[in-house]
């Protein structure tokens, strides 16, 4: 499988991971969206090499099993070549040492230089010195099956607890059935030494089925244990992500199209970090009953009170009856949502809350949560509705081209716009959990300001895309540029570095 | 019909009969050699002193790779033993080792009667009593021992 370069990784969510597919979309390549990053405006922050700092840039690779195996073997080889192992220490022990340290090579090397014996004891390859001194009388029988055995037929780890091959084999079979592989311990009670892969191989050489399962489970243990590797969370997907720097950034599987955060494997969630999104999702699950009432799909027009169903992603609503322009979120006049003054995304806390009763504080806490939840959920719904917009656009483009109104290439900008809208709104959605957990203060004020700016520009963009045929192409492209810049500014200032 | 009994089980059974552990008897069932009728005497200086506790012990197919299944048949007031007689003991679960035997398991259970561990409870209500009011809990354990474990 080929590499995914940094640019690929920094792309926004492609709408096709939402299940959109249309023949005309196939013509629409990822390259087009990369052009956004290449516009290279002068006022953007630049790094030492004069490149624009992209807060979402992330280097990662997609491995298949063979590539991952090779990657692991190379790490082991690197370790065994760098440190001077005593003769009895091998490739297979290198694996145990690395697995015990999340495969952080430098840590193993450092600990080896400090005290190699202690490292071997801590990694359960050698018994603790206090135990090693105990001289066991040579057993005449295997302590498990209690059959008389010749010395040469009894096998042990470094602890010298000897058991016969048959017992070892049955023991491995039971352990492997339970899904244990790299963690199989010595059979002796209280002995915590672990078996190496070579040992398992020698025991299981005559039971190919168990051996194959052992190897699968061991490989799985290594992938889960390695700080730079992750299984793709897609259903039945066997792709492995590798990131040199394991950060909470976006990765996308080329095979199953799953798109997630590398670190926690949940849906990508900048600017919120992994612990924040975990608490947020848990909270949402816990409070879903309370929050249920807000999932109603209709609201009344604040002016003429006619019932309105939201059928598009844009939050700038216009009542079809009285033509009143209002905001779907706060039901306020849209005029107050201009780019200079957009307050709808900011939660105003009761300044006197500390002196109120416990009940009032609880009510305030719920109110605060619902404020952020409503906005979070609303953007989620808008994303769904905008998928329909995307399909409508594709349909309209097809119609136009078939009627000789321009060529495919003339209309690509509309798809670009819809994709960009998706990417921006997705980020905006995740600014709400971030804001919920953010402490008050000047940084929160700045965040809320930028969030409000982004919100305003996204609604402008959405409004213009829904009315694309009346909107001038230059005007739309200008709006796209502004919106994406707002998004990047927010991420640059507030996502984890 | 059952598969022939592994040598290990035969040897363990022989030893249990010929050199019994003090205070413990384990007799294989006449129909099934993997099933044992066990009597454990309450250890002296414990609230269970004077009682005889019946247990069942079964050796599963995977024994000794898998631990034996053990359960109290006599009602007992103990923080690590629940209403159904199930026992919370590490060597019966994750700390099982094939090198352990029926004999060592029963000795551990006897030791558990001498030293209840309310910090790792199975019966939460009992463990709570044991922590809050130990002397009262010990009195209840003694009363239950007289009531259920001392049949004339």
């Amino acid at each position: 499988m080929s590499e995914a370069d940094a640019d690929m990784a920094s792309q926004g969510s492609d709408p096709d991971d939402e299940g959109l597919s249309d023949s005309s979309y196939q013509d629409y390549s990822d390259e087009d969206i990369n052009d956004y990053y290449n516009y290279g405006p002068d006022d953007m922050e630049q790094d030492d090499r004069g490149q624009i700092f992209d807060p979402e840039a992330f280097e990662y690779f997609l491995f298949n099993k063979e590539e991952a195996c090779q990657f692991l073997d190379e790490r082991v080889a690197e370790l065994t070549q760098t440190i001077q192992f005593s003769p009895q220490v091998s490739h297979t022990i290198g694996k145990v040492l690395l697995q015990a340290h999340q495969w952080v090579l430098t840590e193993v090397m450092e600990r080896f230089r400090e005290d190699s014996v202690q490292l071997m004891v801590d990694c359960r390859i050698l018994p603790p010195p206090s135990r090693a001194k105990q001289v066991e009388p040579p057993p005449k029988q295997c302590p498990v099956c209690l059959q008389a055995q010749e010395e040469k037929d009894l096998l042990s780890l470094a602890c010298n607890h000897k058991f016969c091959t048959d017992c070892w084999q049955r023991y491995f079979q039971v352990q492997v059935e339970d899904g244990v592989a790299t963690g199989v311990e010595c059979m002796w009670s209280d002995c915590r030494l672990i078996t190496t892969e070579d040992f398992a191989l020698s025991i299981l050489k005559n039971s190919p089925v168990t051996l194959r399962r052992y190897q699968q489970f061991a490989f799985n243990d290594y992938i889960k244990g390695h700080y730079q590797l992750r299984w793709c969370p897609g259903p039945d997907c066997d792709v492995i992500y590798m990131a040199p720097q394991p950060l909470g950034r976006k990765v996308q599987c080329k095979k199953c199209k799953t798109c997630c955060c590398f670190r926690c494997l949940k849906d990508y969630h900048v600017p919120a970090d992994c612990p924040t999104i975990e608490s947020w999702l848990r909270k949402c699950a816990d409070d879903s009953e309370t929050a249920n009432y807000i999932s109603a799909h209709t609201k009344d027009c604040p002016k003429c009170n006619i019932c309105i169903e939201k059928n598009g992603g844009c939050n700038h609503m216009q009542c079809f009856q009285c033509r009143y322009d209002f905001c779907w979120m706060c039901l306020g006049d849209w005029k107050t949502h201009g780019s200079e003054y957009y307050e709808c995304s900011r939660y105003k806390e009761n300044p006197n809350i500390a002196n109120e009763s416990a009940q009032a504080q609880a009510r305030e806490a719920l109110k605060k949560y619902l404020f952020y939840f409503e906005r979070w959920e609303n953007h989620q719904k808008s994303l769904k509705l905008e998928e329909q917009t995307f399909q409508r656009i594709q349909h309209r483009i097809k119609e136009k081209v078939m009627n000789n109104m321009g060529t495919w290439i003339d209309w690509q900008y509309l798809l670009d716009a819809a994709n960009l809208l998706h990417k921006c709104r997705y980020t905006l959605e995740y600014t709400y959990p971030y804001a919920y957990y953010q402490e008050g203060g000047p940084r929160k004020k700045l965040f809320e300001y930028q969030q409000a700016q982004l919100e305003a520009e996204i609604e402008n963009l959405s409004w213009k895309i829904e009315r694309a045929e009346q909107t001038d192409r230059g005007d739309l492209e200008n709006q796209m540029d502004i919106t994406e810049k707002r998004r990047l500014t927010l991420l640059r200032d507030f996502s984890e570095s | 019909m059952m598969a022939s009994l592994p040598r290990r089980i035969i040897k363990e059974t022989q030893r249990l009969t010929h050199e019994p552990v003090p205070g413990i008897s384990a007799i294989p069932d006449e129909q099934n050699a993997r099933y044992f009728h066990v009597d454990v005497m309450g250890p002296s200086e414990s609230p269970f002193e004077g009682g005889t506790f019946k247990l069942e012990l079964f050796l599963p197919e995977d024994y000794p790779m898998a631990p034996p299944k053990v359960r109290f048949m006599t009602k007992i007031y103990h923080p690590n033993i629940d209403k159904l007689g199930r026992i919370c003991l590490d060597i019966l679960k994750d700390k099982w080792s094939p090198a352990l035997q029926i004999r060592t398991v029963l000795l551990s259970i006897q030791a558990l009667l001498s030293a209840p561990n309310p910090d790792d409870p199975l019966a939460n209500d009992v463990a709570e009593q044991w922590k809050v009011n130990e002397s009262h809990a010990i009195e209840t354990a003694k009363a239950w021992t007289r009531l259920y474990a001392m049949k004339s």
Side-chain angles (χ1 to χ4, degrees), chain B residues 32-113:
Chain B
N32 185 342
R34 288 178 173 268
Y35 187 93
F36 289 76
H37 300 273
V38 180
D39 280 339
V40 175
M41 307 297 160
S44 56
E45 286 168 42
S46 80
F48 312 102
E49 185 172 5
T52 304
F53 296 88
K54 284 199 177 305
L55 289 87
E56 59 173 353
L57 183 147
F58 180 68
L59 304 176
E61 191 60 32
D62 282 334
Y63 182 83
M65 299 312 159
K69 298 184 188 304
V70 197
R71 191 168 74 93
F72 272 81
M73 309 292 280
T74 308
K75 248 172 103 79
I76 181 167
Y77 193 79
H78 191 288
N80 310 103
I81 300 161
D82 72 1
K83 272 189 264 185
L84 300 173
R86 292 176 300 190
I87 307 162
C88 178
L89 186 62
D90 56 357
I91 59 159
L92 291 177
K93 293 167 191 161
D94 54 319
K95 291 280 157 47
W96 172 253
S97 144
L100 294 171
Q101 300 192 357
I102 300 173
R103 163 183 299 270
T104 40
V105 167
L106 294 177
L107 277 168
S108 299
I109 290 172
Q110 208 179 29
L112 190 66
L113 294 186

Side-chain angles (χ1 to χ4, degrees), chain A residues 168-212:
Chain A
W168 272 118
Q169 197 175 326
R170 287 184 52 210
Y171 176 63
F172 264 101
Q173 270 159 358
V174 170
Q175 294 285 312
V176 171
E177 260 167 48
D178 284 349
V180 186
T182 57
V184 176
E185 294 179 352
C186 167
M187 276 196 275
W188 193 252
S189 166
D190 287 346
C191 180
R192 301 222 49 223
L193 289 210
I194 50 172
T195 54
T196 62
E197 226 174 75
D198 279 358
F199 187 81
L201 258 52
S202 70
I203 297 293
L204 294 174
K205 58 178 184 279
N206 295 323
S207 9
V209 178
T210 311
L211 180 60
R212 204 174 322 118

